[in-house]
């Protein structure tokens, strides 16, 4: 049992073997000896401040703090004695002497370490009559209240904010009794991750959305998955009488290891929003009226059948959902293929993940894909055209954890983002030059003939990079640490012309060097929807259409041979009058797809529009049938996260009104249309899918086959062409507080950031005569939006940065509908605009 | 595209940076030099305000909130501008027994300010001090870095006249 890295420690007269390198409290936790504590927390650096974990070490005359004393071989430790008991009680007595003792109306009551320890020690004396600290409760933060009087000065919130979140927003100010843990002027900006609420042992840091919504023992807790970005974090929903009251992580569970971001923790407000659709509606005489399910489904089936009869199955297009479960998406593609009879199937994954996936399919053989844990352990991170801290905040935390352990992070991105602010080096490449950058790297590192048409000097000029800078970027992929090198790429690459070719080139470099890669994923189930077969040219498991016989056998239904249309091809077909109907399951193209007017016109030129959604979105408003669907909390299923990890979860609360899970709606509609699916529940759908697409260690075994696709030539235009009428270049970014339409209806995220903000350089602001908070009108060739400005001297002059997702100023309105010739991905990274003060 | 304009954040003067380098050389880590750097920052910026915190945080490689925590922990740092001369009058046991309280009233009357305040002309800031470790010569006060013992009202008047 005694390996080299084990030491032997005597604790309370018993000898234990524990790993070397632990503190006494860590060793005690591992052998199940309980030492009380306020300030110690495994994931934070030890402080030794609270004096609750005092213990005796033989040979040292005074009591020691177990959290800061390293366990050593042969050490004899006593954790319970009269002396220790007296010291701990004295500490508690001093804590209680200045605590307001307002447990009656404290949200933390019954889950409070101060209560529990006082209860445990029992007879605490009360010899001091300090005046009760008359400290205020701070409400400066819209989401977190800081009740300074209840604070036990453990500094967990200060440390978690610095060491895990890296926001540096909370300071331990002053000393002695007046000490306050609070946000201070000039400190870091709170990112509303809520870590400080989780780690607080008492009721000092509290969730303001929850405030007095129930006692802890009145809450039921159910595990779920976050519906926002692609990280797939485990959430614990605290519910009462079928409504969500608050959300927190559970212990160390999930890929998030007990961390959440603002969206995960405070973004649940849409679930019980009063505007949720509770009953189906159909359009009668131009008016949407509420009907029962039977009528709505019959109406839908009849109208779809009529259109198929009159115009053929090709006249119907379908959008599955990058937000719906794997099972719902699987059934959706089966519905489109077998019941409607075409492959016109796509989703909003077309805006990002699909191009990355196409790139992956372009590389035969294994390319190591990184997990979030790989990122946490990485020695080097190369980030190209991505902003993980804002698109995928928990991936951002993994990156910060790596930085804390000494990792080098190099970012190549035209924007100033929360990620670039963390980088050891930020190459501000020219907007739209992510693909040329990867091609230049490939020319340097791969020696491939197909890129021989390019000239290095042209590429470098296009990127705005010197050759030694390119060499230093390439250096990130060389040397011994290649195995611990992770390349992160995002929409800067996938939303560019020939983005898929660039991803393929990047992955070939990664494979050759033995590094690993990870693509950032903006929406929770972009990856799952693609793997479930919501693609016009791929079946579940990314099987090519030529493989359809295998599926037909299981489904007992025919699969059309002809590849279908992608999203923008369908929209164009509708505008051309060829596509007569759309079935949209949980997507909101009017808000989410570039070129709002183009999308609206396309959808309104269709004869028949079915929308399955939670809310009356701008897309649903145009529908002939609206089928109310259940939110993530109200249904079971699985999501596939950005690592490809397939994670099942269950329903926690019943659906609002008559809303139904997407999968159930599709099964019932298939029956109404005479080609009924046999599934009785979600598990049967999952089993059918897993039989067709085998799983290994919670990853799907996918058909990656070295698909060849077009290679760009030097004539391709990456990046904007100068246009003096539109002198500014607007770049889209992501926000910690928005991700899709639902996030605008979540009160917590509204409080985090109420409105969109256009970031611009002070010099540009001066030229325009605007200052912080002023409104401007931003106009492009396609549209205009009104938005307030925020000055930021780290933004490049002549460029503007606007986050996607805010419904009050949607940059998608400004974009055209140009699509990539290879993957048909719409371009929505940058747009030329002009601006005037309002 | 225009060259990116860099707005330089407030920093230390060249001379101070040299001193900081000398200080840093004495410590195993940069952050260990926090207190001497804060003294320099207070001297250069007049107090430990936002600019001083930013400058100190950059040279020390620790966050502003941590520097703020330190600056408010120690009584010798001020986060708001203070007088050209700071009087620290001890109010602990030995000094109090020998009349520190009446000396405080004398100072407050003479300077027309209360404890913790700064005179309108910015000449003096008056503060309480915890024990200055010279109880045998109580009552005691500190003006800037100078210790004065065996205080009386007359002696205080003489002392203050020395400071502009």
């Amino acid at each position: 049992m005694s390996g080299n890295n084990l030491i032997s420690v005597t604790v309370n007269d018993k000898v234990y073997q524990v790993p070397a390198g632990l503190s006494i409290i860590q060793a005690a936790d591992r052998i199940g000896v309980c030492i009380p504590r306020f300030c110690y927390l495994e994931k934070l650096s030890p402080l030794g401040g609270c004096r609750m974990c005092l213990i005796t070490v033989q040979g040292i005359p005074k009591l020691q703090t177990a959290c800061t004393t390293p366990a050593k071989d042969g050490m004899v430790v006593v954790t319970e004695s009269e002396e220790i008991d007296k010291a701990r009680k004295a500490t508690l007595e001093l804590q209680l002497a200045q605590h307001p003792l307002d447990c009656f109306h404290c949200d933390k009551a019954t889950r409070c370490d101060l209560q529990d320890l006082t209860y445990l020690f029992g007879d605490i004396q009360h010899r001091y009559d300090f005046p009760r600290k008359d400290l205020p409760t701070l409400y400066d933060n819209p989401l977190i209240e800081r009740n300074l009087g209840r604070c036990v000065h453990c500094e967990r919130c200060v440390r978690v904010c610095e060491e895990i979140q890296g926001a540096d927003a909370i300071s331990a100010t002053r000393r002695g009794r007046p000490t306050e843990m609070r946000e201070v002027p000039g400190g870091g900006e709170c990112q509303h991750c809520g870590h400080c609420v989780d780690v607080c042992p008492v009721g000092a840091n509290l969730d303001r959305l929850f405030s007095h919504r129930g006692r802890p023992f009145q809450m039921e807790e159910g595990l779920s998955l976050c519906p926002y970005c692609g990280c797939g974090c485990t959430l614990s929903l605290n519910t009462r009488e079928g409504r969500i009251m608050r959300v927190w992580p559970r212990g160390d569970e999930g890929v998030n290891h007990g961390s959440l971001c603002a969206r995960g923790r405070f973004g649940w407000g849409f679930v019980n929003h009063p505007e949720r659709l509770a009953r189906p509606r159909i359009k009668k005489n131009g008016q949407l009226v509420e009907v029962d399910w039977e009528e709505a489904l019959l109406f839908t089936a009849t109208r779809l059948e009529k259109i198929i009869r009159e115009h053929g199955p090709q006249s119907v297009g379908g959008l599955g959902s990058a937000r719906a479960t794997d099972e719902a998406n699987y059934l959706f593609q089966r519905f489109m293929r077998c019941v409607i009879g075409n492959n016109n199937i796509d989703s909003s994954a077309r805006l990002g993940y699909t191009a990355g996936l196409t790139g992956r399919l372009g590389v035969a053989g294994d390319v190591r894909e990184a997990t979030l844990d790989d990122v946490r352990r990485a020695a080097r991170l190369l980030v190209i055209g991505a902003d993980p801290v804002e698109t995928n905040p928990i991936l951002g935390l993994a990156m910060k954890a790596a930085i804390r352990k000494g990792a080098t992070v190099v970012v190549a991105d035209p924007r100033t983002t929360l990620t670039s602010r963390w980088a050891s080096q930020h190459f501000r490449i020219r907007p739209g030059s992510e693909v040329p950058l990867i091609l230049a790297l490939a020319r340097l590192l791969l020696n491939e003939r197909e890129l021989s048409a390019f000239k290095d000097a042209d590429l470098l000029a296009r990127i705005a990079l010197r050759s030694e800078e390119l060499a230093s970027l390439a250096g990130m992929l060389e040397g011994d640490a290649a195995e611990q090198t992770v390349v992160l790429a995002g929409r800067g690459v996938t939303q560019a012309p020939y983005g898929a070719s660039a991803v393929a080139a990047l992955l070939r470099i990664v494979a050759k060097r033995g590094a690993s890669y990870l693509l950032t994923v903006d929406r929770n189930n972009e990856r799952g929807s693609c793997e479930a077969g919501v693609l016009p040219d791929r079946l579940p498991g990314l099987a090519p259409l030529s493989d359809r016989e295998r599926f037909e056998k299981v489904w007992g239904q025919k699969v059309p041979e002809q590849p279908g249309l992608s999203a923008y091809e369908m929209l164009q077909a509708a505008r051309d009058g060829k596509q007569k109907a759309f079935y949209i399951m949980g997507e909101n193209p009017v808000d989410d797809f570039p070129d709002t007017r183009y999308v609206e016109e396309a959808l309104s030129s269709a004869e028949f529009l079915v929308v399955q959604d939670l809310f009356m979105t701008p897309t649903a408003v145009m529908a002939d049938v609206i089928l109310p669907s259940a939110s993530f909390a109200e249904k079971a299923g699985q999501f596939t996260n950005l690592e490809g990890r397939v994670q099942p979860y269950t329903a926690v609360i019943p659906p609002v009104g008559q809303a139904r899970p997407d999968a159930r709606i599709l099964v019932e509609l298939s029956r109404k249309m005479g080609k009924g699916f046999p599934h009785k529940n979600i598990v049967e759908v999952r089993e059918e899918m897993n039989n067709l697409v085998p799983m290994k260690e919670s990853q799907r075994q996918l058909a990656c086959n070295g698909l060849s696709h077009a290679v760009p030539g030097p004539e391709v235009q990456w990046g904007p062409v100068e246009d003096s009428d539109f002198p500014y270049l607007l770049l889209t970014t992501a926000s910690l507080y928005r991700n899709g339409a639902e996030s605008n209806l979540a009160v917590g995220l509204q409080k985090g950031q109420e409105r969109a903000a256009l970031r611009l350089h002070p010099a540009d602001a001066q030229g325009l005569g605007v200052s912080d908070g002023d409104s401007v009108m931003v106009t492009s060739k396609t549209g205009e939006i009104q938005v307030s400005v925020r000055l930021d001297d780290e933004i490049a002059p002549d460029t503007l940065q606007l986050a996607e997702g805010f419904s009050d100023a949607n940059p998608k309105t400004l974009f055209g509908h140009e699509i990539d010739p290879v993957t048909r991905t719409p371009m929505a990274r940058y747009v030329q605009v002009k601006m005037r003060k309002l | 595209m225009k060259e990116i304009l860099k707005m330089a954040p407030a920093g230390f003067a060249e001379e101070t940076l040299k001193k900081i380098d000398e200080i840093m050389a004495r410590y195993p880590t940069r952050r260990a030099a926090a207190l001497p750097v804060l003294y320099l920052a207070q001297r250069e910026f007049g107090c430990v305000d936002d600019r001083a915190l930013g400058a100190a945080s950059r040279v020390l490689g620790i966050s502003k909130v941590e520097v703020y925590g330190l600056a408010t922990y120690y009584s010798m740092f001020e986060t708001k501008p203070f007088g050209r001369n700071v009087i620290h009058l001890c109010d602990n046991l030995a000094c109090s027994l020998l009349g520190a309280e009446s000396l405080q009233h004398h100072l407050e009357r003479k300077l027309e300010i209360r404890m913790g305040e700064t005179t309108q002309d910015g000449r003096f800031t008056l503060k309480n001090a915890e024990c200055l470790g010279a109880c045998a010569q109580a009552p005691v006060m500190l003006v800037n870095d100078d210790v004065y013992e065996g205080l009386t009202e007359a002696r205080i008047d003489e002392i203050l006249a020395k400071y502009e």
Side-chain angles (χ1 to χ4, degrees), chain A residues 233-309:
Chain A
C233 297
T234 299
L235 306 180
S236 170
L237 310 183
N238 283 219
T239 66
R240 187 178 176 193
E241 290 158 17
R243 293 171 71 87
I244 299 180
M245 294 288 144
R246 70 176 154 202
V247 170
W248 56 29
R250 185 187 282 180
D252 200 31
E253 278 177 55
V255 295
N256 42 321
H257 295 325
S259 286
L260 289 179
C261 71
R263 297 195 292 252
R265 182 184 308 268
F266 294 116
W268 48 268
F270 69 91
V271 174
N272 297 117
H273 195 282
E275 286 169 28
R276 273 285 300 277
L277 295 169
R279 297 190 64 198
R281 297 178 198 201
I282 62 175
K283 201 170 257 175
K284 284 185 181 168
N285 306 322
Q287 290 286 319
L288 280 166
V289 291
E290 290 194 348
V291 294
D292 59 25
W293 271 102
E294 182 63 22
E295 185 177 350
L297 289 172
L298 252 179
F299 178 77
T300 310
T302 321
R303 288 290 301 270
L304 283 174
E305 278 164 350
K306 181 165 175 271
I307 287 168
I308 295 168
R309 209 164 46 238

Side-chain angles (χ1 to χ4, degrees), chain A residues 106-147:
Chain A
C106 177
D107 274 341
K108 199 67 178 233
T110 74
R111 278 188 78 125
C112 169
D113 290 357
L114 184 58
Q115 281 190 334
D116 289 351
L117 287 174
T118 306
Y119 183 82
L120 184 77
F121 282 88
D123 54 338
I124 309 285
Q125 285 184 282
H126 297 282
R127 289 169 296 179
Y128 308 107
D129 190 20
F130 293 159
R132 293 273 178 251
K133 277 204 295 183
D134 195 17
L135 289 175
T137 301
L138 304 180
Y139 295 102
D140 317 349
N141 189 311
L143 290 164
I144 298 160
E145 69 175 60
R146 304 200 193 277
N147 194 310

Side-chain angles (χ1 to χ4, degrees), chain A residues 206-217:
Chain A
L206 291 171
D207 178 344
R208 287 184 68 184
L209 290 186
F210 178 77
S211 199
H212 296 267
R213 278 162 163 252
R215 315 301 303 274
F217 50 79

